[in-house]
Amino acid sequence: MTSLLLLLLIGGCGTSTKVIGTWKKSEEIVYDYNKLVILGIAHNEATRKTFEIAIEEQMLSAGLAGEGALDFLPPNANEDNTPPELVMAFFKSAKVDAVMTVSVVHIDDSRRHMPDALIYAPYYTTYSFYDQYVEYYDWVYLPGYDTGELDVFIEANLFDFESGNLIWSAQTETMALNSISEIASNFSYVLVDDLVKSKVLISD
């Protein structure tokens, strides 16, 4: 009984990411950019780097060119210590012509921890009253576990740098997360897949 229950609990875990919304400025135009920068918007440098690298690698595998913004900006740059004017100056000096911003727009956390418990489990369900009286019941120890889900909604927006116009946008939902790297990997895969299917950029 204990083994089966734990297998069911473990089997229910996993990570899934899906695109829940996408938008394209023009159905006819396919854009050809020389330097597209991926800009993670977050206070944590490691998180930004993880997402930027994952998207850059996924774009490369799809025949698209993209570079992480931390290759151009100071490592600790964020919206608090690096004003938009300074970001624009860095990008202009690097001859950037397109920017993809990536940011978390909403988090829905319904997780809670179930404490350790002793689960009542008789050996057989056909015991008579006499059998129950003379025999002992079994108690199964069930270790604590987490239940519920953590849903993270992430949005990516692709801008033409010169005009500042938004040309493509997509939002994803990721459920049952295990790590930042797993979130980034799942997100980058579905994001770039939608980018390719939307025929926004010219690929090699």
Side-chain angles (χ1 to χ4, degrees):
M1 176 181 174
T2 307
S3 300
L4 176 60
L5 183 56
L6 290 177
L7 284 173
L8 289 174
L9 291 171
I10 295 171
C13 298
T15 301
S16 64
T17 301
K18 62 182 179 181
V19 173
I20 59 175
T22 186
W23 175 89
K24 183 181 178 183
K25 180 179 176 62
S26 173
E27 293 299 328
E28 293 77 28
I29 302 176
V30 180
Y31 297 87
D32 186 12
Y33 291 114
N34 294 316
K35 195 156 203 162
L36 187 154
V37 168
I38 304 151
L39 175 62
I41 301 175
H43 290 277
N44 187 284
E45 175 193 342
T47 298
R48 287 184 55 198
K49 191 69 173 176
T50 299
F51 271 87
E52 290 180 5
I53 291 175
I55 297 170
E56 180 180 339
E57 292 178 346
Q58 194 61 44
M59 289 182 68
L60 183 62
S61 68
L64 302 172
E67 299 178 59
L70 285 178
D71 292 340
F72 309 100
L73 299 176
N76 64 341
N78 58 55
E79 60 268 33
D80 292 333
N81 61 27
T82 310
E85 296 79 12
L86 187 56
V87 173
M88 296 284 284
F90 273 113
F91 286 173
K92 282 182 179 178
S93 65
K95 299 184 186 312
V96 170
D97 52 8
V99 178
M100 178 188 289
T101 61
V102 179
S103 59
V104 173
V105 293
H106 180 67
I107 296 176
D108 185 9
D109 191 350
S110 63
R111 295 173 302 172
R112 66 184 188 279
H113 183 74
M114 301 298 291
D116 298 354
L118 287 173
I119 306 299
Y120 160 66
Y123 282 115
Y124 302 100
T125 58
T126 56
Y127 269 6
S128 66
F129 172 78
Y130 178 80
D131 292 329
Q132 292 177 0
Y133 182 79
V134 298
E135 297 289 339
Y136 64 91
Y137 294 118
D138 187 23
W139 292 85
V140 178
Y141 172 72
L142 177 65
Y145 63 92
D146 293 319
T147 185
E149 291 181 338
L150 176 64
D151 295 357
V152 177
F153 297 85
I154 305 175
E155 185 175 87
N157 294 307
L158 180 59
F159 297 89
D160 179 270
F161 184 70
E162 184 177 358
S163 67
N165 291 332
L166 178 66
I167 60 175
W168 173 83
S169 178
Q171 189 175 116
T172 67
E173 178 185 8
T174 300
M175 298 180 290
L177 311 177
N178 294 318
S179 67
I180 292 296
S181 61
E182 187 174 348
I183 304 169
S185 177
N186 280 264
F187 171 76
S188 62
Y189 178 82
V190 299
L191 180 78
V192 174
D193 182 62
D194 187 83
L195 187 61
V196 171
K197 289 178 179 177
S198 298
K199 297 181 180 179
V200 179
L201 302 174
I202 293 175
S203 59
D204 296 334

